[in-house]
């Protein structure tokens, strides 16, 4: 047991030592060494003397995670399995069942099966709850149950799952899975091409280039690049995608850090594909990181018109640092600044509120694009043309986070028939059924006003108000709760957009969803109209 303890103690020691070696703050060495010694002594004494048997690995894992929680959500300790997943995500290739999944304590839920891949061939659908993989019940596994779904090519695994309350089983034959960075591209009109770039893995710039050249060959004289819901990825790929539309040698992004070696200017290094073709880039509140480097710098260089809603606002750069035993520390090393010099980081993780939550930036500084247009920092990339239905709000975010929209889409799929994607229409009666679904669900959305009111009335001072005020307070909370259903109507456009997207994927996969968007999506239609009005397009950029 002592040997295990020694090995586990080495992990944070080596991690911190690496940080010391790369840091310019030599004056902190004594304080860091002191804290390491205190921790090492505490960890040893705790494991040797605690009244019950301890698990050093679990204790250390908890200690590391709690330490990193005080920083930002992107700085993480990666165990050996996490490291493998990280590599797969960046490479875009792995061996498994070909589905996006979500893990819980007692089940793994299929979020989206990829068309034509093993999970789809085996009949698995979005919403299926896997409760057993092979002979192992998910409830008996503490962590990473979804790792059991991965395995070598041409191996099979038995899966037991629950669908609409009925337990079923199937066998999935694992295959090599390729995750495309560009899952879809197509001509919209006779002269306008549309490209969806969904992630910035190692294939991003290559596949975007292939799509761009193919569309130009088909007659595209204008391009729409869709970065909505793209969470980001590799910084180098963001620069290479930007390079497709701007000349070689152009500054795209700058990174700044307390560690001098991480201070860099990133310029384009390749010959572009087309520096003149009119370009519109679509973003929304789930476009982050690398997506914001591309959209922000193309905006700063007046190379594209940005359409949609304010992006997520992630202006932080991470790098994996190798630790011992195949583990890594994915650590935030710098902030990035787009071509105009602005950092679009939205949340301040280093100055938190009284509840420990990161503070959202509300004060923005002005910057100038290449042509002198005003842009701002600190809150994501603000589009040149905003689309109301694309905006995010706390209610819609809560419905997504609590999987209310996802679960409703599952029920909708098993209770409705949709034959053709272009015939699909989400009616007012459907939205009424969604509101009814929300009212009967366990969804509990607490507004800031409710939270503040509850805190005020639960404190010691509440006793001075008397019964009459207390009763009024309860009535007010009840009335606020009732009005939440009315808020569903207020944000109907935003909510319905997410409902339609989730429902359409159930019937027609991603390809069908994008086909539907070409005919019905407000942002795409706005971009198409703009590109057909060269005068308006040029006026925005000037």
């Amino acid at each position: 047991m002592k040997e295990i303890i020694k090995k586990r103690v080495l992990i944070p020691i080596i991690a911190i030592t690496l940080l010391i070696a790369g840091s310019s703050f030599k004056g902190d060495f004594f304080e860091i060494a002191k804290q390491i010694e205190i921790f090492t002594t505490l960890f040893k004494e705790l494991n040797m003397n605690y009244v019950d048997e301890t698990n050093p690995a679990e204790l250390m894992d908890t200690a590391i995670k709690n330490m990193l929680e005080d920083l930002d959500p992107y700085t993480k300790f990666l165990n050996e399995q996490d490291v493998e997943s990280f590599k797969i995500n960046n490479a875009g290739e792995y061996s498994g069942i070909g589905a996006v999944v979500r893990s819980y304590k007692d089940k793994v839920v299929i979020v989206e099966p990829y068309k034509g891949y093993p999970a789809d061939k085996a009949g698995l659908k979005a919403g299926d709850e896997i409760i057993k993989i092979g002979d192992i019940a998910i409830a008996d596994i503490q962590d990473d149950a979804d790792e059991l779904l991965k395995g070598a090519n041409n191996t099979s695994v038995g899966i037991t799952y629950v669908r609409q309350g009925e337990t079923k089983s199937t066998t999935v034959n694992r295959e090599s899975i390729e995750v495309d960075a560009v899952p879809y591209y197509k001509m919209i009109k006779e002269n306008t091409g549309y490209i969806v770039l969904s992630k910035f893995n190692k294939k991003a710039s290559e596949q975007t280039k292939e799509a761009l050249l193919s569309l130009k060959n088909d007659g595209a004289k204008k391009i729409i690049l869709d970065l909505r819901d793209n969470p980001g990825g590799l910084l180098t790929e963001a620069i290479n995608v930007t390079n497709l539309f701007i000349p070689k040698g152009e500054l795209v992004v700058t990174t700044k850090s307390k560690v001098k070696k991480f201070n860099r200017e990133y310029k384009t290094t390749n010959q572009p594909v087309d520096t003149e073709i009119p370009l519109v880039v679509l973003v929304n509140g789930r476009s982050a990181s690398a997506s914001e480097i591309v959209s922000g710098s193309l905006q700063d260089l007046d190379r594209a018109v940005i359409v949609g809603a304010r992006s997520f606002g992630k202006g932080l750069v991470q790098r994996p640092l190798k630790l011992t035993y195949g583990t890594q520390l994915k650590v935030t090393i710098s902030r990035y600044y787009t071509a105009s010099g602005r950092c679009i980081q939205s949340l301040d993780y280093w100055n938190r509120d009284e509840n420990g939550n990161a503070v959202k930036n509300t004060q923005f500084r002005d910057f100038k694009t290449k042509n002198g247009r005003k842009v701002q920092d600190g809150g994501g990339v603000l589009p040149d043309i905003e689309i109301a239905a694309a905006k995010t709000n706390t209610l819609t975010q809560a419905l997504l986070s609590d999987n209310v929209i996802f679960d409703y889409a599952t029920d909708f799929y098993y209770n409705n028939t949709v034959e053709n994607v272009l015939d699909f229409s989400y009616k007012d009666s459907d939205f009424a059924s969604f509101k009814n679904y929300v009212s009967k669900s366990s969804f509990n959305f607490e507004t800031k006003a409710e939270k503040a009111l509850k805190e005020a009335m639960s404190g010691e001072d509440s006793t001075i108000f008397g019964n009459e005020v207390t009763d009024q307070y309860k009535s007010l909370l009840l009335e606020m709760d009732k009005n939440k259903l009315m808020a569903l109507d207020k944000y109907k456009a935003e909510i319905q957009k997410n409902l339609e997207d989730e429902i359409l994927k159930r019937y027609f996969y991603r390809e069908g969803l994008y086909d539907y968007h070409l005919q019905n999506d407000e942002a795409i239609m706005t971009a198409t109209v703009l590109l057909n009005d060269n005068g308006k397009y040029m006026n925005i950029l000037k």
Side-chain angles (χ1 to χ4, degrees):
M1 182 176 179
K2 291 182 180 179
E3 188 64 26
I4 296 175
I5 293 171
K6 287 179 182 177
K7 288 181 179 179
R8 294 295 175 180
V9 168
L10 280 173
I11 295 175
I13 292 175
I14 292 174
I16 297 173
T17 303
L18 279 170
L19 289 176
I20 294 171
S23 174
S24 60
F25 298 116
K26 303 281 171 106
D28 291 339
F29 180 83
F30 173 75
E31 184 61 29
I32 293 173
K34 172 185 171 183
Q35 297 305 324
I36 291 173
E37 187 176 352
I38 291 172
F39 180 81
T40 304
T41 308
L42 179 149
F43 191 72
K44 181 182 71 174
E45 296 297 336
L46 175 66
N47 281 283
M48 291 179 66
N49 297 296
Y50 189 71
V51 62
D52 292 322
E53 192 71 22
T54 59
N55 186 320
E58 288 184 6
L59 281 175
M60 183 59 72
D61 193 60
T62 301
I64 293 172
K65 288 178 179 176
N66 285 339
M67 174 176 66
L68 298 180
E69 275 182 4
D70 285 340
L71 302 175
D72 62 75
Y74 313 111
T75 297
K76 294 180 178 180
F77 170 67
L78 306 178
N79 60 33
E80 291 153 292
Q81 290 177 331
D82 294 331
V83 170
E84 192 62 28
S85 296
F86 183 71
K87 290 178 180 176
I88 288 169
N89 189 51
N90 286 336
E93 296 178 4
Y94 69 99
S95 180
I97 69 168
V100 179
V101 300
R102 186 189 305 122
S103 294
Y104 296 90
K105 286 184 178 180
D106 59 346
K107 62 187 176 183
V108 173
V109 175
I110 300 290
V111 174
E112 182 183 354
Y114 297 136
K115 184 179 180 180
Y117 278 111
D120 184 38
K121 291 177 182 177
L124 292 172
K125 303 286 186 183
D128 288 347
E129 301 175 355
I130 298 174
I131 57 174
K132 196 174 181 182
I133 301 173
D135 296 326
I136 303 174
I138 304 299
D140 294 337
I141 307 172
Q142 288 192 349
D143 294 305
D144 301 318
D146 57 303
E147 290 295 322
L148 295 174
L149 297 172
K150 297 174 185 175
N153 285 353
N154 302 317
T155 60
S156 60
V157 60
I159 289 177
T160 304
Y161 62 98
V162 177
R163 175 184 294 171
Q164 297 288 285
E166 184 181 350
T167 301
K168 298 172 175 285
S169 62
T170 188
T171 299
V172 182
N173 297 310
R174 299 183 183 98
E175 296 177 10
S176 177
I177 311 299
E178 293 190 14
V179 182
D180 287 328
V182 176
Y184 183 94
Y185 64 91
K186 199 171 188 177
M187 293 293 292
I188 298 179
K189 302 289 185 181
E190 64 277 358
N191 61 1
T192 304
Y194 172 70
I195 303 171
V196 177
L197 177 53
S198 63
K199 51 177 57 70
F200 284 88
N201 59 24
K202 289 182 179 179
K203 301 179 179 181
S205 58
E206 177 190 345
Q207 291 189 343
T208 305
K209 182 178 180 179
E210 289 174 357
L212 179 58
L213 290 171
S214 177
L215 291 169
K216 282 170 63 69
N217 189 56
D218 289 340
K221 306 295 183 186
K222 304 152 190 177
I223 293 293
I224 298 171
L225 178 63
D226 196 339
L227 297 179
R228 290 177 297 178
D229 299 332
N230 185 324
L234 299 173
L235 173 63
T236 52
E237 286 300 293
I239 296 160
N240 290 337
V241 168
T242 308
N243 195 174
L244 297 175
F245 303 100
I246 63 173
K248 181 179 179 180
E250 190 82 57
L251 177 66
V252 176
V253 66
T254 303
T255 58
K256 297 180 183 180
S257 170
K258 71 175 185 179
V259 182
K260 288 185 178 179
K261 68 177 181 179
F262 295 145
N263 293 337
R264 284 192 61 183
E265 286 187 345
Y266 292 88
K267 296 182 179 181
T268 51
T269 58
N270 304 316
Q271 292 300 326
V273 172
D274 196 324
T275 61
E276 300 294 331
I277 192 168
L279 176 66
V280 169
V281 178
L282 307 182
V283 296
N284 64 7
R286 292 190 291 275
S287 304
S289 192
S291 295
E292 295 171 299
I293 290 175
V294 173
S295 57
S297 289
L298 288 174
Q299 184 180 52
D300 288 352
L301 297 169
D302 299 300
R303 181 61 189 88
V305 173
I306 313 302
V307 173
R310 186 187 289 273
S311 63
F312 181 81
K314 180 179 180 290
L316 305 174
V317 180
Q318 286 73 44
R319 172 173 290 188
L321 302 177
K322 291 182 180 180
L323 307 178
T324 54
Y325 301 107
T327 63
Q328 292 184 2
L329 172 66
K330 184 163 76 76
V331 60
T332 297
I333 58 167
S334 59
R335 291 179 175 84
Y336 73 74
Y337 299 79
T338 59
S340 68
R342 54 180 170 150
C343 180
I344 49 77
Q345 177 63 27
S346 178
L347 293 174
D348 185 352
Y349 296 105
W350 299 272
N351 293 289
R352 298 175 182 254
D353 61 21
E354 61 277 6
N355 297 316
N357 298 317
V359 178
K360 194 174 184 67
N361 187 27
T362 55
Q363 295 183 339
F364 308 126
R365 293 183 300 166
D366 293 342
F367 291 79
K368 296 291 185 182
T369 70
K370 197 171 186 178
N371 289 340
R373 297 188 297 143
K374 186 179 82 171
V375 289
Q376 293 182 316
D377 68 353
V381 176
L382 184 66
D384 301 302
I385 299 177
E386 292 191 87
I387 305 296
K391 292 181 179 179
T392 57
N393 57 76
T394 52
L395 177 57
T396 306
Q397 284 297 103
L399 289 166
L400 289 167
S401 299
D402 286 13
N403 300 314
V404 178
I405 288 175
F406 179 86
D407 292 340
Y408 171 80
T410 301
D411 282 1
F412 186 97
Y413 174 76
Y414 289 109
N415 290 288
N416 295 273
T417 301
V418 181
E419 297 291 346
N420 188 295
V421 63
L422 298 181
D423 292 336
F424 174 74
S425 175
Y426 194 77
K427 309 179 211 46
D428 288 341
S429 59
D430 293 321
F431 193 76
S433 73
F434 172 71
K435 291 199 300 182
N436 185 52
Y437 180 87
V438 174
S439 68
K440 292 179 178 179
S441 72
S442 59
F443 176 65
N444 185 23
F445 171 62
E446 187 175 63
T447 64
K448 289 183 179 179
E450 283 179 295
K451 189 174 182 179
L453 190 57
K454 287 177 181 178
E455 287 178 356
M457 294 305 297
S458 62
E460 293 180 5
D461 293 342
S462 63
T463 56
I464 68 174
F465 294 127
N467 292 335
E468 184 178 347
V469 173
T470 301
D471 290 341
Q472 290 177 350
Y473 145 76
K474 290 178 179 177
S475 297
L476 179 58
L477 278 179
L478 187 63
E479 195 63 31
M480 290 172 78
D481 198 51
K482 289 179 181 178
N483 285 338
K484 285 180 189 176
L485 280 179
M486 295 175 62
L488 294 174
D489 288 319
K490 179 180 178 181
Y491 296 113
K492 180 182 177 181
E494 297 96 314
I495 294 170
Q496 183 165 319
K497 174 73 168 62
N498 285 280
L499 284 168
E500 289 174 345
D501 286 359
E502 193 60 54
I503 289 169
L504 282 164
K505 283 187 294 184
R506 306 303 172 95
Y507 294 96
F508 308 108
Y509 305 91
R510 284 270 167 182
E511 185 178 353
L513 172 63
Y514 296 134
D515 284 339
Y516 179 82
H517 281 175
L518 292 189
Q519 303 295 325
N520 298 277
D521 185 84
E522 185 180 356
I524 293 175
M525 290 189 287
T526 299
T528 305
V529 171
L530 174 65
L531 287 169
N532 284 328
D533 188 340
N534 189 60
K536 184 177 181 181
Y537 174 85
M538 295 306 297
N539 281 336
I540 291 174
L541 295 179
K542 290 179 180 178

